């Protein structure tokens, strides 16, 4: 497999050097753009697999770049690097199509972990249908059938089920679910997750009090086994 190509959009030479050296060391192919206009051209001409995007940049800022890329339907994952610890930048960034963000100063280990996670996610096509026990779920048409009978799942319940199924065999924490499914970045009630899980169990499990598919992992979250 050819190495994954990462475009670094950053204007501070020391930061460029740090990112480039470490990513190259990890085996990535690295491109660098030090201003907003070059970033746009490079993103379209070189089709990187991931863009690390600083916000404060000469010519065009990171948020504008992100918006323009998405307006022109470039689906490349974007990891925003925000220098200011402003919640607003993160929220705006995610709303206009960034996939994740890191606040400076961040650790290299964290950056590499996020980079890897985003690339892994981007390489896995989303699950369309899944069968477990006597249940068949189509996540594209939002249909779930149990024993020949249609289940009445809400769109949110489909999302939760899909997330659990996509991570089957792994423990998924409540905060991860809030973040990935509800899109909450701050503190939120983990009870929200529990009540949705309880409803979902009522619909899919034969004995909701002794669930076969959605297991509770004490004090952490849930695990799908099916
Ligand atoms: Ca900058």
């Amino acid at each position: 497999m050819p190495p994954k190509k990462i475009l670094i959009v950053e204007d501070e030479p020391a930061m460029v050097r740090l990112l480039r050296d470490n990513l190259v060391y990890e085996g990535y192919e690295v491109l660098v753009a030090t201003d907003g206009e070059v970033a746009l051209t490079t993103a379209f001409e070189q089709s990187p697999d991931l863009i690390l995007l600083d916000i404060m940049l000469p010519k065009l800022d990171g948020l504008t770049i992100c918006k323009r890329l998405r307006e022109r339907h470039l689906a490349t994952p974007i990891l925003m690097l925000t220098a200011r610890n402003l919640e607003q930048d993160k929220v705006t960034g995610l709303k206009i199509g960034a996939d994740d963000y890191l606040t400076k100063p961040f650790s290299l280990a964290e950056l590499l972990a996020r980079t890897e996670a985003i690339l892994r996610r981007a390489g896995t096509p989303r699950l369309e249908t899944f069968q477990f026990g006597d249940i068949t779920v189509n996540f594209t048409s939002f249909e779930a059938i149990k024993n020949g009978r249609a289940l009445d799942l809400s769109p949110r319940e489909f999302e939760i089920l899909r997330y659990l199924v996509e991570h089957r065999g792994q423990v998924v924490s409540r905060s991860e679910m809030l973040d990935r499914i509800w899109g909450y970045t701050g503190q939120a009630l983990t009870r929200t997750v529990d009540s949705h899980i309880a409803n979902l169990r009522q619909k899919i499990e034969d004995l909701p009090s002794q669930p076969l598919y959605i297991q509770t992992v004490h004090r952490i979250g849930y695990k799908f086994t099916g």
Side-chain angles (χ1 to χ4, degrees):
M1 234 180 13
K4 296 279 186 190
K5 211 191 284 182
I6 299 182
L7 169 60
I8 300 171
V9 184
E10 169 66 77
D11 58 325
E12 292 158 53
M15 183 60 95
V16 170
R17 216 160 33 235
L18 181 79
L19 292 173
R20 190 185 47 209
D21 290 356
N22 281 280
L23 290 168
V24 165
Y25 182 79
E26 291 295 320
Y28 296 109
E29 183 184 337
V30 174
L31 307 164
V32 175
T34 52
D35 75 54
E37 282 169 8
V38 174
L40 280 180
T41 328
T42 313
F44 284 111
E45 287 176 358
Q46 303 286 328
S47 344
D49 295 293
L50 171 70
I51 302 172
L52 299 183
L53 185 57
D54 184 30
I55 290 194
M56 304 281 279
L57 289 164
K59 299 189 183 165
L60 292 172
D61 68 85
L63 294 171
T64 308
I65 294 170
C66 181
K67 218 167 114 206
R68 297 227 181 135
L69 293 174
R70 294 303 187 238
E71 276 167 4
R72 291 170 61 183
H73 307 293
L74 192 90
T76 311
I78 296 174
L79 174 54
M80 286 256 182
L81 308 174
T82 71
R84 296 163 290 176
N85 192 7
L86 286 182
E87 200 62 23
Q88 194 49 46
D89 277 353
K90 300 171 190 170
V91 174
T92 310
L94 293 174
K95 258 192 203 145
I96 59 179
D99 294 79
D100 205 350
Y101 60 82
L102 272 177
T103 305
K104 293 179 186 174
F106 47 79
S107 76
L108 271 171
E110 175 88 35
L111 174 92
L112 294 172
R114 299 280 188 99
T115 297
E116 219 177 278
I118 293 178
L119 288 171
R120 200 172 44 231
R121 230 166 33 226
T124 328
R126 296 219 72 184
L127 192 69
E128 284 187 15
T129 59
F130 189 72
Q131 204 193 338
F132 56 100
D134 53 3
I135 299 175
T136 307
V137 190
N138 185 320
F139 294 107
T140 311
S141 62
F142 291 92
E143 286 170 314
I145 311 280
K146 182 175 168 68
N147 245 335
R149 204 169 45 83
L151 294 176
D152 182 24
L153 301 190
S154 70
R156 183 72 84 203
E157 287 165 348
F158 272 105
E159 279 303 301
I160 295 167
L161 189 56
R162 162 140 63 178
Y163 196 81
L164 289 170
V165 165
E166 283 179 343
H167 296 85
R168 56 191 176 278
Q170 302 168 22
V171 180
V172 177
S173 74
R174 292 180 177 84
S175 55
E176 178 183 344
M177 290 172 76
L178 281 169
D179 184 37
R180 296 292 163 195
I181 299 166
W182 278 264
Y184 291 160
T185 47
Q187 285 286 332
L189 287 176
T190 49
R191 261 205 324 251
T192 307
V193 177
D194 297 336
S195 68
H196 276 79
I197 292 286
N199 291 339
L200 195 49
R201 279 179 176 151
Q202 289 292 338
K203 297 176 184 178
I204 67 170
E205 302 278 358
D206 289 333
L207 284 171
S209 57
Q210 291 165 45
L212 269 183
Y213 308 119
I214 304 177
Q215 311 288 341
T216 299
V217 181
H218 187 52
R219 294 224 284 231
I220 302 176
Y222 297 98
K223 182 165 93 173
F224 185 89
T225 48

